Amino acid sequence: MVKFDRFYLGSLVLGVVNALLAARDTLSAVSVGFVLGVQAFSMALMILLWFLISRRANNAAKWVLTVLTAIGLLVMIPTLPILAAGSALDLIFMAAVTALQVTAVVNLFRADSRAWFARKGIVLGDETIFS
């Protein structure tokens, strides 16, 4: 689960940096309040999912995150040409965030993570889950 934490929280940090860098373009198109509201809601949802998965071993939250990640990948595909035509930095950040998120979700399906979810997060003498 430590690998999940590292990759997922890393993707959140990079996502915030990406949002700050992209704010110049976004704010010219819509209001500041709307952008901040959407960002705050999205971040709160992502942190809630992390908490439920990482600290509460909630299997439903694991599947919600898995489905959201898959949808995100499908939505990202048509936007790749738009990102490629724009700033290389935006494309790099999007690729890095996506790679971290997918890696985090993949780590949720490792044998040690499945066992941890089955035990509802209780570690019974098996500290390998934290390495």
Side-chain angles (χ1 to χ4, degrees):
M1 289 307 295
V2 168
K3 288 181 181 180
F4 165 75
D5 285 348
R6 289 178 182 161
F7 287 116
Y8 188 71
L9 295 175
S11 76
L12 292 182
V13 169
L14 275 183
V16 168
V17 171
N18 187 38
L20 291 172
L21 292 174
R24 66 189 183 286
D25 300 329
T26 308
L27 292 178
S28 63
V30 293
S31 74
V32 173
F34 177 76
V35 171
L36 290 176
V38 168
Q39 290 293 329
F41 176 78
S42 298
M43 186 57 63
L45 178 63
M46 295 294 110
I47 291 172
L48 175 64
L49 285 173
W50 167 79
F51 177 78
L52 292 172
I53 293 167
S54 183
R55 299 298 179 242
R56 297 288 184 233
N58 185 302
N59 202 43
K62 175 180 89 169
W63 284 104
V64 168
L65 180 62
T66 301
V67 169
L68 288 176
T69 301
I71 291 170
L73 284 172
L74 292 175
V75 169
M76 187 186 75
I77 292 169
T79 64
L80 284 176
I82 297 166
L83 287 171
S87 165
L89 188 61
D90 291 342
L91 184 60
I92 291 168
F93 267 102
M94 180 62 75
V97 168
T98 302
L100 287 171
Q101 287 175 342
V102 168
T103 304
V105 168
V106 167
N107 274 286
L108 292 176
F109 293 91
R110 292 175 22 153
D112 54 349
S113 294
R114 286 192 312 269
W116 186 77
F117 278 104
R119 292 188 309 258
K120 301 295 182 206
I122 299 169
V123 176
L124 303 172
D126 179 17
E127 278 69 33
T128 61
I129 192 83
F130 297 109
S131 58

